[in-house]
Amino acid sequence: EDQVTQSPEALRLQEGESSSLNCSYTVSGLRGLFWYRQDPGKGPEFLFTLYSAGEEKEKERLKATLTKKESFLHITAPKPEDSATYLCAGGGSQGNLIFGKGTKLSVKP
Amino acid sequence: GAGVSQSPSNKVTEKGKDVELRCDPISGHTALYWYRQSLGQGLEFLIYFQGNSAPDKSGLPSDRFSAERTGGSVSTLTIQRTQQEDSAVYLCASSGRQGTQPQHFGDGTRLSIL
């Protein structure tokens, strides 16, 4: 069965304290590994797609990496505006996304 | 606007009533997806359309749920005889092509069944 698991469920950081979010996946015929950011009351906002092991992508303070079993979202020197829920999803063979339950990140000033 | 538009943003209805949720995808996007997000749960895939056809209906939770898409654009998700467990946020997404292209989401319809 296709499955995506994210850890930790919640993460509290001080401003400037770097950390990583984990996404483990088992998705048959994976068609991309996707990261989204979701703010309260809003739909998920697309961040990155990774297609092959070893691939990395960066955007501002965020860097996503991919191995054959896991993806990591590294947050460098976070700011309070980075507070959100970060969602990881595997692209399924039917074109749908299989989502994890997310990591809720809080960054305190 | 340029993004995915969903309406209504909020819907409160009584148990047993039918509801219709609407999604207006990004112009030119041929693939359209419906997901459900319940409190404390991840996003759950419901159905997707490529053009007007829905090759995969496996995610619909029961036969009370149906969806259609006309003109390769607007889609409606209909829930008949609503139950309290249908309360959730229903999210719509679209992409340029089914498969590896990223899906872009609307802000959802928050459905509450009394």
Side-chain angles (χ1 to χ4, degrees):
Chain A
E1 181 185 350
D2 293 338
Q3 194 168 7
V4 174
T5 304
Q6 292 187 247
S7 62
E9 291 185 12
L11 181 62
R12 300 179 73 169
L13 300 173
Q14 288 296 125
E15 185 172 2
E17 180 186 2
S18 301
S19 189
S20 296
L21 281 56
N22 176 265
C23 170
S24 300
Y25 64 90
T26 306
V27 177
S28 178
L30 183 76
R31 301 174 76 176
L33 190 291
F34 298 80
W35 282 96
Y36 286 84
R37 167 189 172 132
Q38 188 173 27
D39 292 298
K42 299 291 187 181
E45 175 190 350
F46 171 71
L47 293 173
F48 304 108
T49 311
L50 302 165
Y51 291 106
S52 55
E55 188 175 0
E56 298 183 353
K57 288 193 176 172
E58 287 188 66
K59 179 180 179 180
E60 296 182 353
R61 295 175 293 281
L62 301 177
K63 183 169 80 173
T65 62
L66 182 67
T67 72
K68 289 186 177 180
K69 294 183 178 180
E70 294 177 302
S71 179
F72 294 92
L73 185 66
H74 307 278
I75 303 175
T76 302
K79 297 182 177 181
E81 54 262 41
D82 294 323
S83 297
T85 296
Y86 291 85
L87 300 171
C88 171
S93 57
Q94 299 298 317
N96 58 306
L97 294 176
I98 299 109
F99 279 88
K101 293 185 178 181
T103 293
K104 184 175 182 179
L105 174 66
S106 298
V107 182
K108 301 300 181 185
Chain B
V4 176
S5 178
Q6 292 189 246
S7 62
S9 54
N10 285 282
K11 177 73 176 178
V12 181
T13 191
E14 293 180 348
K15 176 182 171 182
K17 300 285 190 183
D18 297 351
V19 295
E20 246 186 35
L21 313 179
R22 175 188 168 107
C23 173
D24 209 331
I26 292 172
S27 178
H29 278 189
T30 58
L32 184 147
Y33 307 80
W34 284 97
Y35 294 85
R36 177 168 73 173
Q37 188 172 33
S38 304
L39 195 63
Q41 301 297 314
L43 275 79
E44 173 192 7
F45 168 71
L46 299 177
I47 190 170
Y48 94 88
F49 291 88
Q50 181 60 43
N52 289 337
S53 66
D56 183 6
K57 300 183 180 180
S58 62
L60 294 176
S62 78
D63 58 8
R64 296 186 295 105
F65 287 71
S66 63
E68 65 175 15
R69 189 181 186 194
T70 55
S73 181
V74 172
S75 176
T76 55
L77 177 69
T78 301
I79 309 173
Q80 295 179 309
R81 304 181 304 281
T82 52
Q83 304 294 312
Q84 287 188 331
E85 61 262 29
D86 299 334
S87 295
V89 176
Y90 290 82
L91 290 159
C92 175
S94 68
S95 69
R97 181 167 51 87
Q98 179 265 346
T100 58
Q101 290 194 3
Q103 298 176 21
H104 298 276
F105 285 80
D107 286 337
T109 294
R110 182 174 299 276
L111 178 63
S112 300
I113 310 299
L114 301 179

